[in-house]
Amino acid sequence: MAQWLNATVSETIHWTGNLFSIKAKTGPLPFIAGQFVRLAIDGPEGRIQRAYSLVNPPDSEYQEFLVSTVADGLLSPLLQQLTPGDTLGISQPATGFFILDEVPDGDNLWLIATGTGIGPYLSMLATAEPYQRFAHIILVHSVSNAADLTYKDLIASFVAKYPEQLHYQPIVTRETYPGALQDRIPKLINSQQLQQQCGQLLNPKSQVMLCGNPQMITDTKALLEGMGLTKNLRRNPGNITVEQYWK
Ligand code: NAP
């Protein structure tokens, strides 16, 4: 049975009309970067809860979540209305296997996300582990519109700290944006455009994490398998580790 912490919302960031972050004060919580908790709000019909990845690194005083409002969703429209001082339920302990401990070593590490799928990577990139284990790390973030490119300043601070190791590649599919590519991930990989833009190979010596839109994961995984990469399973280690945000 999960235990629940009552956390106080300390800050909200509204990136767009349906994309926002919530920061809540809890004191340091034990978890591994990439894991998720459940967030909950008590409504007249009972407790509404849903899983969200932690964006912050372990041992932070504040826990942070990146949320996209699902139009007919039960919890996200309520989360969007939270303001500092409101109470939010956070389940303990955090769980999940979308963590670097599960990823074998490789020549490079591709962290590929759509939308809010960037959250777990931000937690990982704030820890020392990726930089200790991988010579090159490529963070790829695909969004429809440039306004959905969340956490650009935080990412820039990571790149400034590890300029030789970390490459950030935004993709904005529905408008042109300086420095961004403009096609969907599988097409950019298949044409080698993504690899050329990032100056990195994507081959069976790579490790790839995929997070976000389920169809992006299915399509990208199939393409990578055609390139000789294999799904990473505990009983049979491979190259592709996935986290689906919704079915
Ligand atoms: P999205 O539709 O997944 O779009 C983000 C990026 O992924 C865009 O660049 C998009 O390209 C690209 N993409 C979409 N399908 C793809 C595919 N098959 N292969 C490669 N790339 C693909 O994500 P979003 O804008 O963050 O969210 C869209 C909707 O999903 C929202 O309305 C939200 O309600 C819902 N959502 C639900 C949950 C949940 O947990 N239930 C979580 C997050 C989001 P295009 O611009 O070309 O489409």
Side-chain angles (χ1 to χ4, degrees):
M1 270 287 279
Q3 309 238 323
W4 288 94
L5 287 177
N6 282 326
T8 305
V9 174
S10 57
E11 191 185 336
T12 58
I13 305 167
H14 292 272
W15 306 97
T16 69
N18 60 1
L19 184 62
F20 60 97
S21 294
I22 299 174
K23 226 171 161 177
K25 187 167 169 60
T26 55
L29 298 182
F31 71 93
I32 304 170
Q35 289 190 315
F36 61 85
V37 290
R38 298 185 81 77
L39 298 184
I41 291 183
D42 291 323
E45 314 265 303
R47 176 157 276 214
I48 307 169
Q49 49 175 290
R50 203 181 172 288
Y52 287 96
S53 297
L54 290 132
V55 170
N56 52 285
D59 298 322
S60 314
E61 285 286 326
Y62 296 85
Q63 313 309 317
E64 188 163 348
F65 307 93
L66 174 59
V67 184
S68 165
T69 309
V70 179
D72 57 354
L74 291 177
L75 184 61
S76 55
L78 298 179
L79 292 174
Q80 188 169 15
Q81 289 166 28
L82 291 176
T83 55
D86 288 342
T87 301
L88 177 65
I90 299 182
S91 72
Q92 285 296 291
T95 53
F97 297 102
F98 194 68
I99 56 177
L100 286 171
D101 295 12
E102 298 289 329
V103 176
D105 290 336
D107 282 1
N108 54 20
L109 174 66
W110 290 82
L111 303 176
I112 298 180
T114 61
T116 53
I118 195 167
Y121 300 144
L122 298 174
S123 182
M124 293 174 200
L125 290 169
T127 70
E129 187 177 358
Y131 312 101
Q132 288 168 349
R133 289 188 47 204
F134 294 91
H136 296 283
I137 302 146
I138 311 98
L139 175 64
V140 178
H141 190 199
S142 177
V143 297
S144 295
N145 300 101
D148 304 327
L149 287 174
T150 48
Y151 293 102
K152 278 187 301 213
D153 292 347
L154 178 66
I155 296 165
S157 75
F158 296 151
V159 174
K161 198 167 170 193
Y162 301 98
E164 305 300 323
Q165 275 181 281
L166 179 60
H167 183 93
Y168 168 52
Q169 184 54 57
I171 298 172
V172 179
T173 37
R174 300 193 190 180
E175 59 184 345
T176 53
Y177 183 74
L181 295 169
Q182 211 179 339
D183 269 319
R184 282 182 165 191
I185 291 161
K187 199 169 165 193
L188 291 170
I189 293 173
N190 200 32
S191 66
Q192 294 280 327
Q193 218 185 322
L194 183 64
Q195 298 89 313
Q196 281 162 12
Q197 177 89 5
C198 301
Q200 283 295 311
L201 298 174
L202 179 43
N203 63 26
K205 291 182 176 171
S206 301
Q207 284 297 323
V208 184
M209 299 184 85
L210 300 174
C211 186
N213 185 299
Q215 196 57 49
M216 177 282 288
I217 292 176
T218 303
D219 296 351
T220 307
K221 188 169 148 285
L223 175 69
L224 294 173
E225 285 172 345
M227 293 162 59
L229 286 79
T230 57
K231 184 157 186 198
N232 180 34
L233 301 169
R234 271 200 171 161
R235 62 178 185 279
N236 193 11
N239 318 80
I240 310 166
T241 307
V242 306
E243 180 87 303
Q244 267 188 208
Y245 263 19
W246 73 101
K247 305 258 187 279

